[in-house]
Amino acid sequence: MHVLVLNGPNLGRLGSREPEVYGSVTHDELVEQCLLWGGELGLEVEVRQTDDEAELVQWLHEASDTAAPVVLNPAAFTHYSYAVRDACAQLTSTLVEVHLTNPAAREEFRHTSVISAVATGTIAGFGAGSYRLALRAIADSERR
Ligand code: DQA
Protein backbone atom coordinates (compact mmCIF):
# COMPACT_ATOMS: atom_id res chain seq x y z
CA MET A 1 0.00 0.00 0.00
CA HIS A 2 1.35 3.41 -1.04
CA VAL A 3 1.13 6.04 1.72
CA LEU A 4 1.85 9.73 1.25
CA VAL A 5 3.44 11.60 4.16
CA LEU A 6 3.00 15.30 3.44
CA ASN A 7 4.77 18.00 5.43
CA GLY A 8 3.86 21.67 5.25
CA PRO A 9 5.75 24.94 5.62
CA ASN A 10 8.95 25.29 7.62
CA LEU A 11 9.19 21.57 8.34
CA GLY A 12 12.07 21.33 5.86
CA ARG A 13 14.03 23.31 8.42
CA LEU A 14 13.68 20.76 11.20
CA GLY A 15 16.94 20.30 13.06
CA SER A 16 17.82 24.01 12.95
CA ARG A 17 14.30 25.40 13.44
CA GLU A 18 13.65 26.28 17.12
CA PRO A 19 15.29 23.03 18.35
CA GLU A 20 14.04 23.73 21.88
CA VAL A 21 10.50 23.34 20.47
CA TYR A 22 10.89 20.89 17.58
CA GLY A 23 13.94 18.87 18.63
CA SER A 24 17.13 18.06 16.75
CA VAL A 25 15.86 15.55 14.17
CA THR A 26 16.33 16.96 10.66
CA HIS A 27 13.76 16.57 7.90
CA ASP A 28 16.06 14.13 6.09
CA GLU A 29 16.28 12.02 9.26
CA LEU A 30 12.50 12.16 9.66
CA VAL A 31 12.14 10.92 6.08
CA GLU A 32 14.51 8.01 6.77
CA GLN A 33 12.61 7.08 9.92
CA CYS A 34 9.25 7.19 8.13
CA LEU A 35 10.57 4.90 5.37
CA LEU A 36 11.92 2.49 7.99
CA TRP A 37 8.73 2.48 10.08
CA GLY A 38 6.61 2.12 6.95
CA GLY A 39 8.73 -0.83 5.80
CA GLU A 40 8.22 -2.56 9.15
CA LEU A 41 4.46 -2.18 8.67
CA GLY A 42 4.50 -3.35 5.06
CA LEU A 43 3.73 0.15 3.75
CA GLU A 44 5.38 1.84 0.80
CA VAL A 45 5.93 5.32 2.20
CA GLU A 46 6.69 8.46 0.22
CA VAL A 47 7.53 11.66 2.11
CA ARG A 48 7.23 15.13 0.60
CA GLN A 49 7.66 18.62 2.07
CA THR A 50 6.58 21.97 0.69
CA ASP A 51 6.33 25.56 1.84
CA ASP A 52 3.76 26.20 -0.88
CA GLU A 53 0.02 25.93 -0.22
CA ALA A 54 -0.86 25.36 -3.89
CA GLU A 55 1.63 22.49 -4.16
CA LEU A 56 0.24 20.88 -1.00
CA VAL A 57 -3.31 21.17 -2.37
CA GLN A 58 -2.17 19.52 -5.63
CA TRP A 59 -0.59 16.63 -3.72
CA LEU A 60 -3.84 16.15 -1.80
CA HIS A 61 -5.76 16.07 -5.11
CA GLU A 62 -3.32 13.39 -6.28
CA ALA A 63 -4.03 11.40 -3.09
CA SER A 64 -7.77 11.74 -3.77
CA ASP A 65 -7.37 10.53 -7.35
CA THR A 66 -5.22 7.53 -6.35
CA ALA A 67 -7.12 6.80 -3.09
CA ALA A 68 -3.81 6.89 -1.21
CA PRO A 69 -3.90 7.13 2.59
CA VAL A 70 -2.24 10.31 3.87
CA VAL A 71 -0.25 11.34 6.93
CA LEU A 72 -0.40 15.14 6.92
CA ASN A 73 1.47 17.64 9.03
CA PRO A 74 -0.10 20.84 7.72
CA ALA A 75 2.22 22.90 9.98
CA ALA A 76 1.01 26.53 10.14
CA PHE A 77 -1.66 25.80 7.47
CA THR A 78 -3.36 23.76 10.22
CA HIS A 79 -4.63 26.90 11.80
CA TYR A 80 -6.06 28.85 8.87
CA SER A 81 -5.97 27.16 5.46
CA TYR A 82 -9.47 26.41 4.22
CA ALA A 83 -7.89 25.47 0.87
CA VAL A 84 -5.95 22.64 2.52
CA ARG A 85 -9.01 21.66 4.52
CA ASP A 86 -11.22 21.52 1.42
CA ALA A 87 -8.61 19.37 -0.34
CA CYS A 88 -8.50 17.05 2.70
CA ALA A 89 -12.29 16.78 2.68
CA GLN A 90 -12.10 15.14 -0.78
CA LEU A 91 -9.90 12.26 0.41
CA THR A 92 -11.56 8.87 0.49
CA SER A 93 -8.79 6.96 2.32
CA THR A 94 -7.54 7.39 5.87
CA LEU A 95 -6.17 10.83 6.72
CA VAL A 96 -4.08 11.19 9.87
CA GLU A 97 -3.26 14.75 10.93
CA VAL A 98 0.06 14.77 12.79
CA HIS A 99 2.01 17.31 14.79
CA LEU A 100 5.44 17.00 16.37
CA THR A 101 4.39 19.24 19.23
CA ASN A 102 1.06 19.41 21.05
CA PRO A 103 -0.54 22.57 19.61
CA ALA A 104 -3.17 22.55 22.38
CA ALA A 105 -0.41 23.18 24.92
CA ARG A 106 1.06 26.11 22.96
CA GLU A 107 0.00 29.61 21.89
CA GLU A 108 -3.73 30.34 21.59
CA PHE A 109 -3.66 30.62 17.77
CA ARG A 110 -2.44 27.01 17.58
CA HIS A 111 -5.47 25.72 19.49
CA THR A 112 -7.63 25.84 16.37
CA SER A 113 -7.19 23.25 13.63
CA VAL A 114 -9.32 23.73 10.54
CA ILE A 115 -8.13 20.28 9.41
CA SER A 116 -9.12 18.07 12.37
CA ALA A 117 -12.82 17.91 11.49
CA VAL A 118 -12.06 16.37 8.11
CA ALA A 119 -9.28 14.04 9.31
CA THR A 120 -9.85 10.45 10.35
CA GLY A 121 -7.87 11.27 13.50
CA THR A 122 -5.09 13.39 14.93
CA ILE A 123 -1.82 12.46 16.66
CA ALA A 124 0.16 15.25 18.30
CA GLY A 125 2.92 15.79 20.81
CA PHE A 126 5.21 12.79 20.33
CA GLY A 127 7.91 14.37 18.18
CA ALA A 128 8.89 12.17 15.24
CA GLY A 129 7.05 9.39 17.10
CA SER A 130 3.77 11.06 16.03
CA TYR A 131 4.54 9.90 12.48
CA ARG A 132 5.26 6.36 13.66
CA LEU A 133 1.91 6.22 15.44
CA ALA A 134 0.18 7.67 12.37
CA LEU A 135 1.68 5.03 10.07
CA ARG A 136 0.61 2.35 12.56
CA ALA A 137 -2.93 3.78 12.53
CA ILE A 138 -2.99 3.70 8.73
CA ALA A 139 -1.69 0.12 8.61
CA ASP A 140 -4.39 -0.92 11.09
CA SER A 141 -7.30 1.01 9.59
CA GLU A 142 -6.61 0.10 5.96
CA ARG A 143 -6.39 -3.63 6.85
CA ARG A 144 -9.77 -3.64 8.58
C1 DQA B 1 3.35 21.85 13.95
C2 DQA B 1 2.58 22.77 14.89
C3 DQA B 1 2.14 24.03 14.16
O1 DQA B 1 1.46 24.90 15.05
C4 DQA B 1 3.34 24.77 13.60
O2 DQA B 1 2.90 25.89 12.84
C5 DQA B 1 4.25 23.91 12.82
C6 DQA B 1 4.52 22.56 13.28
C7 DQA B 1 3.94 20.63 14.69
O3 DQA B 1 4.30 19.67 14.01
O4 DQA B 1 4.06 20.63 15.91
O5 DQA B 1 4.87 24.35 11.86
O6 DQA B 1 2.46 21.37 12.96
Side-chain angles (χ1 to χ4, degrees):
M1 187 196 317
H2 189 74
V3 178
L4 281 173
V5 175
L6 304 179
N7 285 325
N10 297 300
L11 292 171
R13 298 183 56 80
L14 285 176
S16 59
R17 175 193 184 189
E18 298 177 88
E20 67 285 1
V21 176
Y22 294 106
S24 58
V25 174
T26 65
H27 191 266
D28 283 350
E29 289 165 347
L30 178 65
V31 171
E32 266 176 50
Q33 288 181 317
C34 285
L35 299 185
L36 191 81
W37 293 328
E40 288 167 3
L41 294 162
L43 304 173
E44 185 195 307
V45 172
E46 184 185 348
V47 186
R48 302 179 192 172
Q49 189 275 326
T50 184
D51 294 330
D52 186 280
E53 188 180 32
E55 187 167 39
L56 184 56
V57 166
Q58 283 160 17
W59 289 345
L60 289 162
H61 291 170
E62 181 189 323
S64 290
D65 292 343
T66 58
V70 175
V71 174
L72 173 65
N73 186 340
F77 293 148
T78 307
H79 312 300
Y80 68 89
S81 175
Y82 297 123
V84 172
R85 178 204 162 100
D86 285 353
C88 288
Q90 298 170 52
L91 296 169
T92 50
S93 292
T94 305
L95 168 64
V96 185
E97 176 187 353
V98 296
H99 300 282
L100 295 152
T101 64
N102 177 2
R106 299 181 60 195
E107 302 96 316
E108 190 86 32
F109 77 90
R110 298 187 202 274
H111 296 184
T112 298
S113 168
V114 300
I115 309 297
S116 294
V118 292
T120 311
T122 301
I123 299 170
F126 297 97
S130 293
Y131 290 76
R132 183 179 208 163
L133 293 166
L135 290 168
R136 170 96 253 169
I138 283 182
D140 290 351
S141 61
E142 297 285 330
R143 260 181 217 122
R144 259 195 271 125

